[in-house]
Amino acid sequence: EIVLTQSPGTLSLSPGERATLSCRASQSLGSSFLAWYQQKPGQPPRLLIYGASSRAAGIPDRFSGSGSGTDFTLTISRLEPEDFALYYCQQYETSPPFSFGQGTKLEIK
Amino acid sequence: QVQLVQSGAEVKRPGASVKISCKASGYTFAIYYLHWVRQAPGQGLEWMGIINPSGGSTTYSEKFQDRVTLTRDASTSTVYMELSSLGPEDTAVYYCARGTGYSDYWGQGTLVTVSS
């Protein structure tokens, strides 16, 4: 089973700043089958990025994904107040289980 | 529009089973797999299993292999998740989510509380 490790656990930033979230896989995701989700309290996750770098429908272009192999990054270029939330990465390499990272909490500084 | 509507909250005793439904609409049911993911209070997301609505084939996480059963009713575009031998550690919000790998649409979640 592929294990995903996200860092940092908590990221404290101010609106307008740039956020960089990391997701590291225990083995290479050969086809970049890596997704990012945002979750706010009391809501289901919302797909942001799939295929490591493709934005989902309706996602603002301040969200971008990059990386390959074992190291992936979600970048939010200029934080808006509504961006403070939990963020999860998920791998869907070849076959299940499609594991999630443990999450990064993005909080207002 | 695509919607996944789940059944309501459940309270169960330890040792019981729970069966949650997820009704899909707004798209061709047979085309997209459906995942089940759970989230314990204050915890992260945990992938449980996936079902192919077209043929009904399933794959489960090893952790839940012996206790979870996913089924579907193509006539009503509904998938079901049944979890048996419940314990307090199964208290969580359970989500269905559409997609073969990543999930682009999610149900609203169903809270299952296991308590004596």
Side-chain angles (χ1 to χ4, degrees):
Chain A
E1 178 178 339
I2 298 175
V3 176
L4 298 179
T5 302
Q6 292 186 239
S7 61
T10 301
L11 185 57
S12 300
L13 293 170
S14 300
E17 291 192 292
R18 180 185 186 92
T20 303
L21 287 68
S22 173
C23 177
R24 177 164 288 178
S26 60
Q27 61 192 76
S28 179
L29 304 183
S31 302
S32 294
F33 287 149
L34 193 285
W36 289 94
Y37 301 87
Q38 176 192 70
Q39 188 180 32
K40 296 180 179 179
Q43 296 183 18
R46 173 195 182 196
L47 177 67
L48 300 174
I49 301 288
Y50 63 94
S53 60
S54 297
R55 262 190 308 277
I59 301 302
D61 61 7
R62 64 180 181 273
F63 290 91
S64 63
S66 62
S68 64
T70 60
D71 291 301
F72 299 86
T73 300
L74 174 69
T75 301
I76 311 171
S77 58
R78 294 173 312 281
L79 285 166
E80 298 286 343
E82 63 268 27
D83 298 337
F84 292 91
L86 279 163
Y87 291 84
Y88 295 94
C89 58
Q90 182 196 26
Q91 65 80 21
Y92 49 102
E93 171 76 5
T94 60
S95 59
F98 296 145
S99 47
F100 291 90
Q102 83 278 18
T104 290
K105 181 181 180 181
L106 178 56
E107 65 176 22
I108 299 177
K109 187 174 182 179
Chain B
Q1 73 282 23
V2 174
Q3 282 193 302
L4 299 174
V5 179
Q6 299 182 222
S7 50
E10 303 263 11
V11 179
K12 295 292 182 181
R13 299 293 190 199
S17 297
V18 67
K19 190 171 185 177
I20 301 168
S21 67
C22 170
K23 183 173 176 59
S25 62
Y27 71 97
T28 302
F29 178 68
I31 291 178
Y32 293 89
Y33 286 51
L34 279 153
H35 304 253
W36 286 86
V37 175
R38 78 177 187 178
Q39 188 170 38
Q43 301 301 308
L45 302 170
E46 185 171 32
W47 188 85
M48 299 180 68
I50 190 170
I51 183 167
N52 179 352
S54 176
S57 62
T58 56
T59 303
Y60 303 123
S61 167
E62 269 193 36
K63 176 175 179 177
F64 301 102
Q65 179 76 40
D66 296 334
R67 297 198 295 136
V68 69
T69 304
L70 303 183
T71 56
R72 99 288 189 215
D73 181 345
S75 69
T76 59
S77 300
T78 302
V79 298
Y80 299 89
M81 189 283 295
E82 183 169 21
L83 187 63
S84 63
S85 302
L86 291 169
E89 67 280 3
D90 294 313
T91 293
V93 175
Y94 291 77
Y95 295 103
C96 61
R98 187 187 86 159
T100 303
Y102 62 86
S103 295
D104 56 357
Y105 287 91
W106 293 65
Q108 82 276 19
T110 297
L111 174 63
V112 175
T113 303
V114 183
S115 175
S116 55

